[in-house]
Amino acid sequence: MEEDEPDSALSSLPQWVLLEYKHMLSLAEEGSTVIFNHLSKSSCSVLDRALSEGADAQGKTSEGSSKKSMADHQSSSLTLEELMKSHNIEKERICLLDPKSPTELGPSDGNGDDPPRDRTGELRAMGFPTRHLGPIQMTTDTALGVTKMIVRDGVPLNSIPYIDRPTIRFSSTESVEMPFSKSLF
């Protein structure tokens, strides 16, 4: 996963980013490794400490925090192309999840062989094979969980229930509609 947030002077991660990344690790299969790449060196340090020790986004650990079974992670300042070269991974083995892809992600893809800002455009231009998870953007943790359900568990995309653009209600007169899909897994 490439970092979407720009470097900050304090190099701390927003709490929502850390929660999303932790959720990704809990959704990925145990024994898997999620690589967070193209991070600043200071963000790598904060993220590694936070994910390894159950810390918050500023790297502070909480007393009595318990770590449930999660996938491993690596933090890297390398770009995707540099990572591919260092791990000897060919472009055909990468699948870019892209809402603009004409091809839906399906179980056969796992057999081993506010509006979206189109951050995948640079990678799309590089010619990576693409798949989509539907026309509405998902949070990264939802996309990872849905991808695992499809390619590892063999669940077709159309069998996974979603809420498109969920609404969070604060009171009887205040609410906000979120601009993404949320799976009900």
Side-chain angles (χ1 to χ4, degrees):
M1 309 306 304
E2 289 204 28
E3 181 179 47
D4 292 332
E5 303 304 315
D7 287 347
S8 69
L10 300 176
S11 298
S12 64
L13 298 170
Q15 191 67 31
W16 71 267
V17 171
L18 182 58
L19 290 172
E20 190 170 277
Y21 287 4
K22 283 183 177 182
H23 192 221
M24 290 170 67
L25 296 179
S26 73
L27 293 172
E29 276 185 356
E30 188 173 0
S32 298
T33 301
V34 177
I35 301 175
F36 301 98
N37 70 302
H38 211 233
L39 302 169
S40 67
K41 290 186 189 292
S42 57
S43 290
C44 286
S45 176
V46 170
L47 183 61
D48 283 339
R49 180 163 181 228
L51 294 178
S52 297
E53 300 177 3
D56 66 14
Q58 284 69 44
K60 299 175 187 170
T61 57
S62 56
E63 298 264 338
S65 61
S66 61
K67 185 177 176 184
K68 73 177 210 173
S69 178
M70 293 196 278
D72 292 327
H73 78 279
Q74 293 177 7
S75 300
S76 174
S77 59
L78 298 177
T79 66
L80 178 59
E81 288 178 308
E82 293 167 335
L83 271 172
M84 289 169 56
K85 186 175 181 178
S86 71
H87 288 83
N88 199 25
I89 298 172
E90 296 189 23
K91 185 185 287 189
E92 293 73 27
R93 301 270 304 149
I94 303 291
C95 182
L96 177 62
L97 296 176
D98 181 358
K100 294 181 179 184
S101 175
T103 309
E104 179 179 294
L105 182 71
S108 64
D109 289 306
N111 63 11
D113 263 298
D114 223 36
R117 291 183 278 177
D118 194 23
R119 294 181 191 134
T120 59
E122 285 181 37
L123 297 175
R124 186 185 312 111
M126 295 167 66
F128 288 101
T130 63
R131 298 290 186 273
H132 71 78
L133 297 172
I136 299 175
Q137 183 173 341
M138 297 179 185
T139 59
T140 52
D141 56 335
T142 298
L144 183 139
V146 169
T147 298
K148 178 196 172 285
M149 291 174 69
I150 294 170
V151 300
R152 293 289 183 153
D153 303 337
V155 179
L157 179 63
N158 63 2
S159 296
I160 301 171
Y162 291 93
I163 297 175
D164 289 339
R165 297 180 175 87
T167 299
I168 300 172
R169 300 202 184 284
F170 301 107
S171 70
S172 61
T173 58
E174 293 181 283
S175 65
V176 64
E177 182 179 273
M178 304 307 290
F180 52 77
S181 284
K182 179 67 178 153
S183 171
L184 299 176
F185 59 83

